[in-house]
Amino acid sequence: MKIALINPSVPGSLKKENLGLAYLAATLEADGHTTRIVDEIAGQEVDPALDEFKPDIVGLSFMTMYAPRAYQLADRIKKERGLTIVMGGAHPTALPEEAIEHADCVIRGEAEWAFPKLLDSGNVMGIIDPVIPDDLDAIPIPSRWQLDLDTYAAAGEEIAGFSYRTLGIITSRGCPFRCNFCINSEREAPLRFHTPERVVEELAYLSERHHIESVAFYDELMATDAKRFREICEAIIDNGLHHLKWECQMHAKTVRPDTLALMKRAGCIQVTIGFESGSQRVLDTINKSSTVELNMAAARMVHEAGLRTRGCFIIGTPGETREDVLLTERFIKDARIDFASIHYVTPMPGTALYEQVKDKVADAGISWDKFTCGNPDTVNCNEAMPAKEQIQLFERLAARAALRNYTLPEMAMRALRHPHHAVHVAKKLVSTLRA
Ligand code: B12
Ligand code: SF4
């Protein structure tokens, strides 16, 4: 069969490759099907691609913010071409009853084995809860060749003002923690790992074929199995791939000085940690499985190892007060976070937080494309502060972080590269800091 796999886009989409679709394309091809990824984010147009490829089936992959675009495409393709539509990805997995209104079939969660099996059955209908892969190395290497990797690599990753030619890789799936704003709070999927051999094979391919300077590890958390993580670092060094600069996400509990030293030797330059808040009360409310002390110690260890910290923080969780936000601001300074990413809490479908406030979300009737995690204009989840005050605190913290995140030469470099964006940011900073 011929299957078109569509990656919908919205204005302002991040230019990061959708590896989920590349994994699916690889397993479908291994099962004898012909696939074509049609990637709006890389600038490809759906209609000419479908005219040329003439698929039997169309698959759409999307997170919540892309849902309106995905539904629009699906309805139009059904009406004009009468093709069978299958949906998957974070949003259809969370809200399958909503998605099936625009599709013949929704597969929830990881679909590498389920999608080909479904096509073989000839009964492409309904909502399917698949058996997910347990042995990750058994999944073929994702068909990255079907993605416009040059566009993605060139979009790059910016670290400390420098932009590196970057592509992503996934070395594990799942997370042992259950933060209430994350889909892992509701998802049953166990932790699974690729072997270091497979990781090195993919890294070598990206380095040789796509000439990347840097790699982004898209794992939710990379060091949950400390032994395997150390083996990956050693394999990177042994295979001469430590010229690649990289960053990864860690939980404070998995940060250890000896591991950090090895990571640095293997090319790591930045560690991302979800500190979320400087208030223990907030950390407990969101089920972070960490303490302020542990988070502070982790940030210090990262600094002492000579690596940069990118800290993620969240504002507006239920019960958060002004004092809690001020503690977060204090934490960012005291922990000497190099790059602070400030997010406004958003009840993303599929999370425990969404389950808590879903009636409010339904009443508000806000379009899913507003659910970007940086947009205070969705639903206020926090009764402890008036929405207006909370948004002001969020914008002030985000503005102060933006000023701290770059040194003056780094700001100048960015302004030269993106002059229009620089003017916009400068105006926003001035108005926010004045308020
Ligand atoms: C890597 C990652 C990123 C990367 C790359 C994203 C990308 N282009 O794919 C980066 C860092 C850029 C990113 C950014 C964001 N992300 Co993100 N990200 C992830 C993460 C950790 C892993 C995704 C992944 O690659 N998994 C591995 C692959 C194999 O799985 P997959 O993509 O889900 O695909 C499988 C299935 O979903 C299914 N499937 C997928 N598509 C289709 C299609 C069909 C037809 C079928 C049948 C099946 C199917 O089969 C695939 C193979 O098994 C997930 C967490 C998670 N566990 O999903 C969050 C996650 C997807 N991200 C999320 C969010 C919110 C964001 C941001 C908004 C965060 C922010 N504030 O910046 C941005 C938005 C970016 C944008 N504007 O496009 C949420 C989405 C929640 C939701 N309800 O939509 C998640 C679930 C994390 C969370 N908070 O819980 N993200
Ligand atoms: S540690 Fe990260 S990936 Fe794991 S549940 Fe918390 S936010 Fe999600």
Side-chain angles (χ1 to χ4, degrees):
M1 268 189 192
K2 289 171 87 177
I3 304 118
L5 297 166
I6 302 181
N7 192 33
S9 162
V10 294
S13 295
L14 262 188
K15 277 219 159 47
K16 300 284 176 193
E17 69 275 32
N18 182 334
L19 285 181
L21 281 185
Y23 273 106
L24 286 182
T27 43
L28 288 166
E29 295 265 342
D31 201 51
H33 301 284
T34 307
T35 60
R36 168 133 170 211
I37 295 179
V38 184
D39 190 351
E40 285 199 314
I41 293 185
Q44 293 161 4
E45 286 182 39
V46 171
D47 283 307
L50 297 186
D51 288 343
E52 191 194 305
F53 182 59
K54 299 191 176 38
D56 306 299
I57 296 212
V58 169
L60 283 130
S61 169
F62 51 100
M63 293 186 206
T64 293
M65 76 195 75
Y66 300 106
R69 174 64 183 155
Y71 295 155
Q72 185 191 46
L73 281 169
D75 295 347
R76 190 158 56 73
I77 293 168
K78 186 55 134 186
K79 189 165 161 237
E80 292 172 4
R81 299 172 192 260
L83 293 170
T84 302
I85 310 274
V86 184
M87 290 181 175
H91 190 77
T93 296
L95 299 180
E97 279 85 12
E98 176 191 286
I100 198 87
E101 297 284 316
H102 307 268
D104 298 284
C105 175
V106 171
I107 304 185
R108 303 182 69 213
E110 297 166 38
E112 279 94 345
W113 300 154
F115 201 179
K117 202 167 152 203
L118 178 83
L119 298 180
D120 293 345
S121 78
N123 185 23
V124 186
M125 274 176 72
I127 296 172
I128 295 176
D129 272 299
V131 175
I132 61 168
D134 50 3
D135 174 6
L136 292 194
D137 277 7
I139 305 173
I141 288 192
S143 293
R144 289 188 177 86
W145 58 269
Q146 285 219 33
L147 296 165
D148 181 359
L149 286 192
D150 263 349
T151 296
Y152 287 113
E157 187 72 34
E158 203 177 276
I159 303 176
F162 289 96
S163 186
Y164 298 103
R165 195 178 156 81
T166 305
L167 289 172
I169 171 172
I170 298 166
T171 83
S172 63
R173 296 187 188 178
C175 171
F177 301 105
R178 297 285 173 265
C179 305
N180 78 337
F181 55 85
C182 171
I183 55 156
N184 285 305
S185 55
E186 293 283 297
R187 167 167 103 137
E188 302 281 312
L191 247 175
R192 285 141 306 143
F193 303 97
H194 279 296
T195 56
E197 292 74 23
R198 162 75 177 246
V199 174
V200 162
E201 188 185 346
E202 284 193 43
L203 284 179
Y205 167 82
L206 293 177
S207 172
E208 284 155 25
R209 286 285 299 275
H210 296 285
H211 313 293
I212 53 169
E213 298 162 306
S214 146
V215 58
F217 287 103
Y218 283 161
D219 303 40
E220 293 165 299
L221 290 179
M222 204 177 157
T224 39
D225 177 341
K227 180 170 170 286
R228 181 201 77 122
F229 184 51
R230 291 182 65 84
E231 283 169 6
I232 290 178
C233 292
E234 279 156 7
I236 289 175
I237 299 167
D238 293 346
N239 286 276
L241 291 163
H242 49 300
H243 62 279
L244 294 174
K245 296 182 173 45
W246 54 271
E247 64 172 326
C248 69
Q249 304 197 56
M250 294 175 90
H251 188 281
K253 276 189 178 157
T254 63
V255 175
R256 290 173 18 187
D258 55 337
T259 310
L260 291 168
L262 180 61
M263 287 162 70
K264 191 170 182 213
R265 281 178 45 224
C268 179
I269 51 175
Q270 180 162 281
V271 178
T272 297
I273 301 178
F275 297 113
E276 320 302 355
S277 174
S279 155
Q280 188 58 48
R281 216 169 50 80
V282 171
L283 294 185
D284 294 341
T285 316
I286 63 176
N287 204 21
K288 190 68 222 176
S289 308
S290 190
T291 63
V292 176
E293 289 71 31
L294 202 70
N295 284 349
M296 185 64 79
R300 295 209 165 120
M301 279 188 255
V302 174
H303 267 291
E304 278 158 22
L307 297 168
R308 287 172 54 89
T309 40
R310 174 168 175 260
C312 294
F313 298 89
I314 195 162
I315 303 293
T317 50
E320 188 176 46
T321 61
R322 185 181 183 85
E323 288 65 41
D324 292 323
V325 179
L326 296 179
L327 284 172
T328 299
E329 195 166 348
R330 177 80 174 272
F331 180 93
I332 294 172
K333 270 192 207 143
D334 291 352
R336 294 192 292 132
I337 301 300
D338 294 293
F339 193 101
S341 294
I342 316 291
H343 295 115
Y344 194 83
V345 78
T346 310
M348 299 305 273
T351 66
L353 180 62
Y354 173 80
E355 290 301 318
Q356 222 175 306
V357 299
K358 66 180 175 195
D359 292 341
K360 256 184 165 183
V361 176
D363 290 347
I366 295 164
S367 171
W368 289 129
D369 59 3
K370 301 275 185 291
F371 284 61
T372 61
C373 298
N375 177 14
D377 216 8
T378 53
V379 171
N380 182 16
C381 300
N382 184 11
E383 308 272 322
M385 236 195 290
K388 199 169 164 222
E389 184 183 358
Q390 186 168 280
I391 292 171
Q392 261 178 3
L393 283 170
F394 162 70
E395 290 188 335
R396 196 183 70 173
L397 194 58
R400 292 195 172 166
L403 284 177
R404 283 178 54 89
N405 284 347
Y406 301 100
T407 59
L408 278 176
E410 286 165 8
M411 280 186 206
M413 244 173 350
R414 279 170 61 83
L416 280 175
R417 262 204 311 269
H418 316 285
H420 295 299
H421 181 66
V423 173
H424 169 77
V425 171
K427 279 187 186 156
K428 175 117 184 124
L429 273 178
V430 172
S431 68
T432 307
L433 294 173
R434 263 197 197 141

